[in-house]
Amino acid sequence: MSFLSAPPKLVIFDCDGVLVDSEPLYIRTLHRLLQSYGAPLTFQQCWEMFVGKTSREVDAYLKEQGLNAPSHWNKDFHEQSNALLEKEVQPVTGIQQVIKQLANAKIPICVGSNGHPFTVRMSLEITGLLPWFDGNVFTATDVGASKPAPDLFLHAAKRAGINPEHCVVIEDSATGMKAAASAGMRCFAYTPESIPAPSNLFGAHPFQSMTTLPNLLGLVPA
């Protein structure tokens, strides 16, 4: 069944973990680096603390724990994670069909990501998704504020000329779900069984498979 009274007029996709299956690669890289600095974190703890977050949160953790990390840790992280992305990143299972159905329904789509602009575009290009979004890829750099601030989603809606209440956000992190709620947008939370779900969904409706998303968006008859 659809959870919307009418199909949305704009769908805003987060990138990492929603369009491209990159979150495990990022967290694997970050976990390895943090352990090398002496952080007493398991992979699960690292995931729960940092998925969807920015380098500022990592910096705060390093200072809080008194860990002796080099000043260039962020550069090391991006170099190592980008190398891993080039080798291993794949589109999220089922996302191509979702995008095609939205295109067939003539519903505009865009990307709203906290990621670095270069990395976001690289991931989309490697996975073959970039042509669907080219010209409509927005990052926190565009607005000077990262999620959970609503600025990025509001910017995407403004660029499309769509009121926030007619937009839907597809997210996988609590950070993004909070941003969607603050922007006054309906949000669907992608929570596959293989990945720990956020403890707080901020009112987002969870779904576990991309095959169910078109139906939730009202694109497939119930």
Side-chain angles (χ1 to χ4, degrees):
M1 62 176 290
S2 171
F3 281 79
L4 304 176
S5 58
K9 295 183 179 179
L10 175 69
V11 177
I12 306 172
F13 289 92
D14 179 40
C15 182
D16 298 308
V18 172
L19 294 173
V20 299
D21 194 14
S22 52
E23 295 286 21
L25 306 182
Y26 286 132
I27 298 301
R28 190 197 314 171
T29 303
L30 181 61
H31 182 235
R32 184 170 59 243
L33 280 175
L34 290 178
Q35 282 195 318
S36 73
Y37 307 148
L41 287 177
T42 65
F43 179 86
Q44 175 79 11
Q45 290 170 327
C46 190
W47 181 283
E48 292 174 354
M49 289 178 65
F50 297 116
V51 70
K53 301 296 179 64
T54 68
S55 60
R56 287 192 296 273
E57 283 86 3
V58 180
D59 273 326
Y61 172 80
L62 291 170
K63 292 177 182 177
E64 177 185 294
Q65 296 295 316
L67 298 173
N68 187 26
S71 59
H72 53 77
W73 79 263
N74 198 15
K75 180 174 179 289
D76 292 344
F77 168 76
H78 282 293
E79 288 178 352
Q80 293 178 31
S81 60
N82 284 350
L84 201 56
L85 285 172
E86 289 181 7
K87 293 179 181 178
E88 299 186 27
V89 72
Q90 297 290 326
V92 166
T93 301
I95 193 62
Q96 295 103 324
Q97 187 58 35
V98 173
I99 292 171
K100 289 176 183 177
Q101 288 187 247
L102 286 165
N104 290 339
K106 302 188 184 308
I107 295 175
I109 60 175
C110 67
V111 176
S113 172
N114 267 356
H116 189 282
F118 172 82
T119 305
V120 171
R121 292 185 68 86
M122 180 185 75
S123 297
L124 293 172
E125 185 171 13
I126 291 172
T127 54
L129 299 177
L130 185 59
W132 294 101
F133 295 98
D134 208 14
N136 294 293
V137 177
F138 308 114
T139 69
T141 303
D142 295 316
V143 295
S146 301
K147 309 172 204 174
D151 305 49
L152 178 57
F153 291 151
L154 293 173
H155 173 73
K158 184 176 181 180
R159 285 288 298 270
I162 305 296
N163 290 331
E165 62 265 28
H166 298 306
C167 300
V168 164
V169 174
I170 313 300
E171 269 286 353
D172 70 320
S173 72
T175 301
M177 295 168 204
K178 183 177 181 181
S182 297
M185 298 179 181
R186 188 67 183 268
C187 184
F188 289 97
Y190 180 51
T191 57
E193 290 185 359
S194 59
I195 294 176
S199 57
N200 188 345
L201 301 183
F202 294 94
H205 179 80
F207 69 102
Q208 293 188 326
S209 171
M210 285 295 172
T211 59
T212 64
L213 183 56
N215 194 22
L216 294 173
L217 295 174
L219 301 182
V220 178

